[in-house]
Amino acid sequence: MAINLSNSNIATRENRIGSITGYVGTLKDLATQSSCGTLKGCSRCFSQSSTCLSSCGLSQLAAIRDVAVIHHGPAGCSVTGASAYYMSKVMAKKRGVTSDTVYIGTDMNENDTIFGSTETLRKVILEVNKRYSPKAIFVSSSCATGIIGEDIDSIVEDVKEEVSVPIVAVHCEGFKSRIWATGFDIADHAVMQEIVQPPREGVVSNKINFKNFFESARPEIIEIFKNFDLEPVFLYCNSTVEELSHISESLATTCICGTLGNYLGNALEEKYGVPYIRSINQCGIKGFETWLREIGKVTGRSEKVEAYIASEREKYLPQIEEVKKELKGLTAVLGMGPGYTFEVSRVLDELGIKVVWALAWHYDKKYENGDVPPSMKYLLDNDINFETSVSDQQNYEVMNILNKYKPDMYLSRHPGSTVWAIKNGTPAIYVADEYMIFGYKHTLEFAKSILDAVKNRSFEENLARRSKLPYTDWWYKQNVDTFFEEAK
Ligand code: SF4
């Protein structure tokens, strides 16, 4: 799909790449329907939870050092400030750098939502620029400004000369998509529009753009990439505006999760010819090796990559094989974003664990380039099938499935979900860190963590005995799609 950087507004994932939030069936059926174009998805007449996409979008932007994020909306929308604070201040401290990024809500009142408040917004932008001297300014809309048609684009255009740093309108109306990951695309679009510059002439780079969430494995990845004479540039956590302005010069773009990095990778490729590494991700042995080989191929470093793989295999494979003996035959249910659900399913299969049900918080039928997501393609090509559903973190559906299947473990990347599984008596593994299954070393650690979780069940058993769950027997006897409605 062509990426249009001349318009600050981008279409939602639902409209751009046919993403859905409701489905129950099998992995094979889901993939077959998406590849032949018949997949419609369902909505729910009862929904337990959801998240605003501005939380994803604006916290990504707030992760960039020394910028200002101005959220034009009522005070309630500034709940996003909590994740923005975490991404800017906590992450900077962890890395040992400083970030003077600020997040400002414009606190629209009732009057503003009727008559508009573009004049106030203009004053806020100028004051923020004067008071904080940010290196870039992101001006975001909200549901309220979207509904009344507040023209933030014109205000941004008007003040451009006065602020003299990159400034861009970010269309983050929470109501426009049920898929919070649309916020990632919105952030990427803003960065591509105003921050990224065309490559400088004569610059020869050995850099690889690496889109990730929290850069927790930064030192380790820098060391790995030294083996191939490559230098990773981690995005956007702790990035500087200067760094971002040159990512069009990199040798390639890769990401830890296709849901997070797909839009930026495709946009850089389409606009500046920076190749986007399209492979399964780095989780598990198969994923890590496939990813490294693709990097080797794209950057002309295959020999160095093969030498590294051979030496690491020798070190880790025998140990992984040893742990696998104890994992064989265990069963699992997963609940994660689609980027990870189908990648982690592959790793569990590698470890000999049977996935009985996988929930993806949404599902992208296709990625920006029109392909089925690589993690999904891998499972199909290898004839791996299991029951699957698409559920935007509806925990009541998770509980229904756990109760019916009684798996040996539940894995989720969202803590709210694992807590409920534990109260149900199911050992839960919180795959919080994006690098928890990265490469050989962490695959081994992950396998050992699973073993710990399934062997030491007393915590779950005790908690389950003492917890009264809000779900009735009636609900446990229902099909998980009881509240589904056909998509119109
Ligand atoms: S933008 Fe909309 S959905 Fe998001 S916090 Fe504000 S009102 Fe809620």
Side-chain angles (χ1 to χ4, degrees):
M1 179 177 207
I3 285 166
N4 179 8
L5 295 177
S6 62
N7 190 333
S8 64
N9 218 332
I10 65 166
T12 60
R13 282 200 173 213
E14 290 93 324
N15 291 332
R16 253 180 26 247
I17 50 179
S19 308
I20 58 163
T21 51
Y23 168 84
V24 173
T26 63
L27 184 82
K28 270 200 177 143
D29 175 65
L30 180 65
T32 313
Q33 282 200 50
S34 36
S35 57
C36 70
T38 54
L39 185 66
K40 267 182 152 180
C42 296
S43 56
R44 291 170 176 77
C45 62
F46 169 70
S47 180
Q48 187 178 17
S49 59
S50 192
T51 301
C52 171
L53 57 82
S54 67
S55 182
C56 280
L58 300 186
S59 59
Q60 283 288 304
L61 295 173
I64 302 169
R65 275 148 77 181
D66 308 329
V67 301
V69 175
I70 299 175
H71 199 173
H72 189 32
C77 296
S78 293
V79 66
T80 302
S83 48
Y85 179 86
Y86 186 78
M87 290 304 287
S88 59
K89 303 294 183 261
V90 180
M91 288 296 115
K93 273 224 171 71
K94 256 182 127 177
R95 162 111 169 255
V97 295
T98 51
S99 172
D100 289 325
T101 286
V102 287
Y103 171 95
I104 293 113
T106 58
D107 192 18
M108 287 175 81
N109 59 25
E110 278 181 23
N111 231 23
D112 297 335
T113 57
I114 296 165
F115 300 109
S117 56
T118 43
E119 263 322 297
T120 311
L121 178 62
R122 180 200 303 274
K123 284 183 198 147
V124 170
I125 295 172
L126 296 177
E127 182 59 28
V128 164
N129 186 47
K130 192 169 103 198
R131 205 185 282 186
Y132 303 106
S133 305
K135 301 268 176 21
I137 303 174
F138 300 99
V139 183
S140 167
S141 58
S142 61
C143 287
T145 52
I147 289 166
I148 63 171
E150 192 93 308
D151 190 359
I152 62 167
D153 289 282
S154 297
I155 296 294
V156 163
E157 209 45 51
D158 278 2
V159 298
K160 250 185 186 157
E161 296 215 334
E162 279 179 83
V163 298
S164 70
V165 289
I167 177 166
V168 57
V170 185
H171 287 275
C172 255
E173 300 87 8
F175 62 74
K176 76 177 180 188
S177 173
R178 282 188 182 163
I179 297 165
W180 53 81
T182 296
F184 298 143
D185 310 339
I186 292 171
D188 289 345
H189 191 74
V191 168
M192 283 298 295
Q193 267 199 298
E194 281 299 322
I195 313 289
V196 181
Q197 300 300 314
R200 292 164 295 183
E201 231 165 87
V203 171
V204 181
S205 175
N206 70 338
K207 292 187 173 155
I208 294 243
N209 303 322
F210 200 135
K211 183 99 189 284
N212 70 165
F213 291 98
F214 309 118
E215 60 171 9
S216 60
R218 180 188 174 89
E220 184 181 336
I221 294 170
I222 290 174
E223 284 308 308
I224 293 174
F225 276 30
K226 274 185 191 163
N227 291 298
F228 323 129
D229 181 31
L230 289 172
E231 202 186 319
V233 182
F234 293 92
L235 316 171
Y236 299 126
C237 190
N238 293 320
S239 296
T240 63
V241 170
E242 169 70 14
E243 267 170 356
L244 288 175
S245 70
H246 300 310
I247 59 175
S248 61
E249 293 163 5
S250 295
L251 286 175
T253 304
T254 188
C255 59
I256 191 72
C257 163
T259 303
L260 176 76
N262 163 59
Y263 191 89
L264 183 76
N266 280 290
L268 282 169
E269 186 173 85
E270 198 177 302
K271 179 106 172 99
Y272 298 113
V274 181
Y276 177 43
I277 306 291
R278 289 185 184 85
S279 70
I280 48 177
N281 91 342
Q282 310 85 345
C283 289
I285 306 307
K286 189 80 208 164
F288 191 57
E289 292 179 352
T290 307
W291 173 71
L292 280 181
R293 286 190 169 118
E294 192 58 26
I295 290 181
K297 198 167 95 193
V298 168
T299 61
R301 284 152 164 90
S302 292
E303 237 171 79
K304 287 179 176 169
V305 165
E306 289 305 331
Y308 174 79
I309 288 177
S311 77
E312 292 296 291
R313 277 184 150 235
E314 218 172 290
K315 218 185 303 173
Y316 288 104
L317 288 199
Q319 298 182 66
I320 294 172
E321 286 305 320
E322 213 35 55
V323 187
K324 267 172 72 175
K325 287 180 194 158
E326 293 193 69
L327 298 176
K328 199 170 168 43
L330 293 174
T331 57
V333 168
L334 296 89
M336 303 180 183
Y340 267 80
T341 295
F342 301 116
E343 305 279 4
V344 178
S345 300
R346 178 190 69 246
V347 180
L348 294 179
D349 182 72
E350 268 187 275
L351 294 175
I353 298 169
K354 185 174 164 43
V355 175
V356 290
W357 194 297
L359 299 102
W361 300 150
H362 80 266
Y363 175 68
D364 300 316
K365 258 193 256 181
K366 294 189 170 168
Y367 274 175
E368 230 64 48
N369 65 337
D371 286 351
V372 171
S375 55
M376 190 75 163
K377 191 170 175 318
Y378 175 91
L379 292 170
L380 292 169
D381 290 349
N382 288 277
D383 207 22
I384 300 168
N385 195 20
F386 40 76
E387 290 191 87
T388 193
S389 57
V390 180
S391 163
D392 48 354
Q393 233 183 316
Q394 304 299 326
N395 261 326
Y396 72 98
E397 291 176 14
V398 176
M399 296 300 276
N400 178 298
I401 292 160
L402 291 179
N403 209 276
K404 278 192 185 122
Y405 286 82
K406 307 209 172 357
D408 293 306
M409 71 197 85
Y410 173 64
L411 300 100
S412 181
R413 270 178 52 76
H414 300 80
S417 199
T418 47
V419 168
W420 286 101
I422 292 171
K423 285 183 182 175
N424 183 54
T426 312
I429 296 129
Y430 177 28
V431 188
D433 187 297
E434 58 197 310
Y435 293 104
M436 189 173 172
I437 324 175
F438 179 86
Y440 302 96
K441 181 168 169 257
H442 299 293
T443 301
L444 175 62
E445 288 168 358
F446 176 67
K448 286 181 177 172
S449 299
I450 293 178
L451 211 49
D452 280 347
V454 296
K455 277 188 168 175
N456 302 298
R457 297 191 180 205
S458 62
F459 173 61
E460 288 85 359
E461 282 165 7
N462 278 329
L463 199 67
R465 242 197 331 266
R466 288 165 174 78
S467 302
K468 185 165 167 20
L469 292 170
Y471 305 103
T472 60
D473 282 346
W474 174 85
W475 171 238
Y476 289 138
K477 283 181 197 136
Q478 302 309 302
N479 289 333
V480 75
D481 57 359
T482 295
F483 295 113
F484 277 31
E485 290 173 329
E486 271 294 305
K488 307 268 178 330

